[in-house]
Amino acid sequence: QVQLVESGGGLVQAGGSLRLSCRVSGIIFRNNEVGWYRQAPGKQRELVAHITTGGSKKYGDSVKGRFTASRDNAKNTVYLQMDSLQPEDTGVYYCHARYNRFTEGHWGQGIRVNVSS
C-alpha cells in the first residue's frame, strides 16, 4: 500500500517560515519523481515544486526564490522549506510521487498552511 504522509503545516505570520515533510512508503522512493502542489480556497491545484530522480528541480513562478524543495532518498522523504511566507501562500499543500510523467502517481492527504497578515 502506497502512503504519503505530510507533516509540518500550521499557522504562521507573514514573513515567517515553515518546513513541510512528506514520508513516502510502499514504492521505491529513489525511482520516483516527487513534488509539492497546493490548492488555495476557490482556486485550482497548482505546482509548487518538483524534483526528478536525478535531483533536478522546478518551481512554480510564485514561489521561486522563497521556497526550496529537497529529497532524502535514505529517509524516503521529501521536504519543502518555505521562507518569506505571504498570505497568498495559504492553502492545502499536497505531496506527490510518480514514476514518470506518463503515470498519474500518488497523493498525500494534504496539510494546511495558514499565513496571517
Side-chain angles (χ1 to χ4, degrees):
Q1 180 182 1
V2 180
Q3 286 190 311
L4 288 77
V5 181
E6 299 105 335
S7 61
L11 175 64
V12 64
Q13 288 189 330
S17 297
L18 282 175
R19 188 192 194 207
L20 303 183
S21 299
C22 175
R23 181 77 157 75
V24 181
S25 60
I27 58 174
I28 302 175
F29 183 80
R30 66 179 181 276
N31 291 348
N32 279 260
E33 302 174 348
V34 290
W36 293 92
Y37 289 75
R38 69 184 181 190
Q39 188 164 16
K43 294 188 177 181
Q44 290 188 330
R45 192 174 296 189
E46 64 175 355
L47 172 72
V48 176
H50 178 260
I51 311 177
T52 67
T53 55
S56 297
K57 301 177 185 179
K58 178 181 178 180
Y59 294 94
D61 288 341
S62 61
V63 306
K64 285 178 182 177
R66 299 187 298 122
F67 290 12
T68 304
S70 60
R71 63 186 295 164
D72 187 335
N73 289 342
K75 296 182 178 179
N76 289 359
T77 301
V78 56
Y79 303 97
L80 185 67
Q81 176 66 40
M82 305 186 292
D83 298 318
S84 302
L85 282 160
Q86 300 300 318
E88 51 266 34
D89 295 316
T90 293
V92 178
Y93 284 68
Y94 297 90
C95 179
H96 182 249
R98 69 182 188 188
Y99 183 69
N100 57 39
R101 63 188 179 95
F102 300 107
T103 57
E104 183 176 346
H106 308 276
W107 293 93
Q109 79 283 358
I111 191 163
R112 186 166 297 278
V113 171
N114 285 312
V115 184
S116 64
S117 56

